[in-house]
């Protein structure tokens, strides 16, 4: 593949049946909960928000958590915090695997619910546990966060989309119940670059889109957004401008060869994506507030 205009490639339209079902269940469960906590990716906070949830006129609080903040550029995270603040929306940046004060977070959520009830004029105390639903795109860290909040780690976690398959209530101490939900996407991703961005972030499976194209998109995206050369750690003798040639150079540098000695670009693509996703290339934010003029 040599083109760098990704929009010439068709969308996969990936929206499997289990996600349709999970979306329906999420909508049903919304009626039962007191607080909605939506996880987005700190590296692209708006691109990973579910547009359907944004249009909801909820009569209960809806908080945003930007997860995987340890992988994002911290200056960009501050800029995003400002962006949301200007729009009267709070967003918390977290590394779900390492949040230190989990109790404080739960207390904050509980407090938000109780204050909102008071503001609505509820006079009777809440006699049942506060119910909090955690939602977000696949592989964003919902179950990881739920497990951090629950000392016995009850939710299944994995480095690929689609690990949680059904809604699961998890009781915490202090009169709080969490609902872990399967990741859902939306059927209307209409832009190839948006689909590729979600795949780079691990929300869509690489195989669905094609791993070489995903890696090539990442190469261009990093060059476009990073303040300095994002590939220094790869220690390449040269850094070809064309992403397909870049992958070939990486394959040669790593000795990833096909029979006959040609560079194995697919294995180079796998390696590059892995290193971006585990932070070995550095901390990068792939969507900047400047490009988002929408509300
Ligand atoms: N670096 C980093 N990795 C994280 C963080 N939170 C979760 N992860 C990793 O992200 C991967 C996905 O985590 P899960 O908790 O299974 O994600 P999920 O949203 O429950 O995924 P589904 O159930 O598939 O929708 C795992 O490999 C986690 O270790 C974080 O804050 N930082
Ligand atoms: Mg999960």
């Amino acid at each position: 593949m040599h083109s760098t205009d990704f929009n010439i490639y068709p969308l996969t339209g990936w929206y499997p049946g289990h996600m349709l079902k999970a979306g329906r269940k999420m909508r049903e469960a919304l009626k039962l909960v007191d607080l909605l906590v939506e996880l987005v990716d700190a590296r692209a906070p708006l691109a990973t928000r579910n547009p359907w949830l944004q249009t909801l006129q909820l009569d209960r609080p809806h908080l945003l958590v930007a997860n995987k903040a340890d992988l994002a550029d911290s200056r960009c995270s501050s800029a995003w915090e400002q962006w949301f603040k200007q729009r009267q929306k709070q967003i918390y940046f977290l590394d779900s695997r390492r949040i230190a004060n989990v109790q404080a977070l739960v207390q904050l959520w509980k407090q938000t619910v109780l204050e909102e009830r008071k503001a609505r004029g509820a006079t009777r105390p809440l006699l049942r546990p506060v119910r909090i639903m955690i939602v977000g795109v696949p592989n964003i860290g919902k179950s990881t966060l739920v497990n951090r909040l629950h000392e016995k780690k009850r939710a299944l976690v994995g480095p690929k989309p689609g690990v949680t398959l059904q809604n699961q209530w998890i009781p915490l101490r202090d009169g709080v119940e969490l609902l872990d939900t399967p990741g859902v996407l939306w059927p209307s991703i209409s832009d190839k670059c948006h689909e590729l961005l979600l795949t780079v972030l691990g929300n869509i499976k690489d195989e669905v889109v094609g791993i070489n194209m995903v890696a090539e998109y990442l190469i261009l995206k990093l060059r476009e957004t990073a303040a300095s050369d994002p590939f220094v750690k790869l220690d390449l003798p040269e850094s070809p401008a064309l992403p397909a040639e870049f992958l070939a150079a990486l394959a040669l540098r790593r000795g990833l060869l096909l029979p006959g000695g040609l560079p194995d670009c697919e294995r180079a693509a796998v390696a590059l994506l892995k290193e971006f996703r585990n932070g070995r290339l550095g901390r990068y934010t792939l969507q900047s507030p400047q490009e988002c003029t929408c509300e």
Side-chain angles (χ1 to χ4, degrees), residues 23 83 167 180 215 219:
W83 191 93
N167 288 354
D180 187 17
I219 294 164

Side-chain angles (χ1 to χ4, degrees), residues 139 141-144 155-158 162-165 180-183:
N139 202 34
K142 299 176 292 300
S143 302
T144 304
L156 213 58
V157 165
V163 172
T164 303
L165 296 174
D180 187 17
T181 63

Side-chain angles (χ1 to χ4, degrees), residues 8-266:
I8 64 168
Y9 300 101
L11 282 155
T12 64
W14 193 65
Y15 188 61
H18 75 260
M19 232 178 251
L20 181 71
K21 204 167 133 199
R24 214 178 295 135
K25 288 238 161 85
M26 179 178 84
R27 278 189 277 264
E28 282 164 19
L30 258 179
K31 298 179 202 136
L32 304 173
V33 299
D34 305 301
L35 171 69
L36 182 67
V37 174
E38 183 182 359
L39 262 67
V40 296
D41 196 305
R43 293 165 295 176
L46 277 192
T48 48
R49 278 196 79 180
N50 186 327
W52 179 75
L53 288 174
Q54 286 182 66
T55 60
L56 273 186
Q57 297 293 320
L58 275 183
D59 58 354
R60 72 215 79 167
H62 176 179
L63 297 181
L64 283 179
V65 167
N67 198 33
K68 308 199 179 182
D70 54 303
L71 298 174
D73 181 325
S74 52
R75 282 160 307 181
C76 297
S77 298
S78 306
W80 272 116
E81 257 164 0
Q82 283 305 317
W83 191 93
F84 279 99
K85 203 168 163 193
Q86 281 158 9
R87 287 155 182 82
Q88 278 74 48
K89 194 107 190 113
Q90 265 186 336
I91 185 161
Y92 301 90
F93 282 76
L94 280 189
D95 169 358
S96 268
R97 296 168 316 165
R98 297 202 176 80
I99 21 171
N101 201 346
V102 285
Q103 285 318 318
L105 187 64
V106 176
Q107 285 311 317
L108 177 81
W109 289 351
K110 197 172 163 184
Q111 203 53 36
T112 306
V113 169
L114 298 180
E115 275 167 17
E116 187 268 344
R117 272 176 64 81
K118 216 159 126 195
R120 254 196 298 122
T123 46
R124 278 187 301 164
L126 194 63
L127 297 173
R128 55 164 178 77
V130 169
R131 298 187 191 128
I132 301 172
M133 179 164 154
I134 314 282
V135 298
V137 288
N139 202 34
I140 191 75
K142 299 176 292 300
S143 302
T144 304
L145 178 60
V146 166
N147 283 342
R148 271 306 277 138
L149 302 177
H150 187 279
E151 52 282 13
K152 286 198 184 135
K153 304 215 181 316
R154 296 167 54 132
L156 213 58
V157 165
K160 55 184 195 299
V163 172
T164 303
L165 296 174
Q166 53 196 354
N167 288 354
Q168 189 189 6
W169 282 105
I170 303 198
L172 301 186
R173 282 182 290 160
D174 314 320
V176 175
E177 281 178 5
L178 291 180
L179 180 61
D180 187 17
T181 63
V184 290
L185 291 168
W186 44 95
S188 55
I189 298 170
S190 56
D191 177 84
K192 188 70 187 171
C193 288
H194 192 176
E195 184 180 72
L196 284 162
L197 179 59
L198 291 172
T199 316
V200 157
L201 298 174
N203 313 124
I204 298 177
K205 290 182 185 160
D206 294 327
E207 313 85 87
V208 173
V209 180
I211 192 129
N212 284 38
M213 197 191 294
V214 181
E216 291 180 20
Y217 174 80
L218 174 64
I219 294 164
L220 291 178
K221 195 72 193 164
L222 280 176
R223 283 205 178 119
E224 181 191 307
T225 47
S228 56
D229 180 5
F231 303 121
V232 271
K233 296 207 174 100
L234 297 178
D235 191 27
L236 297 178
E238 49 161 359
S239 186
L242 276 178
E245 289 176 12
F246 183 94
L247 282 181
L250 178 60
L252 291 176
R253 176 76 184 86
R254 302 264 171 110
L256 304 171
L257 302 176
L258 293 165
L262 286 173
D264 188 340
C265 292
E266 194 170 322

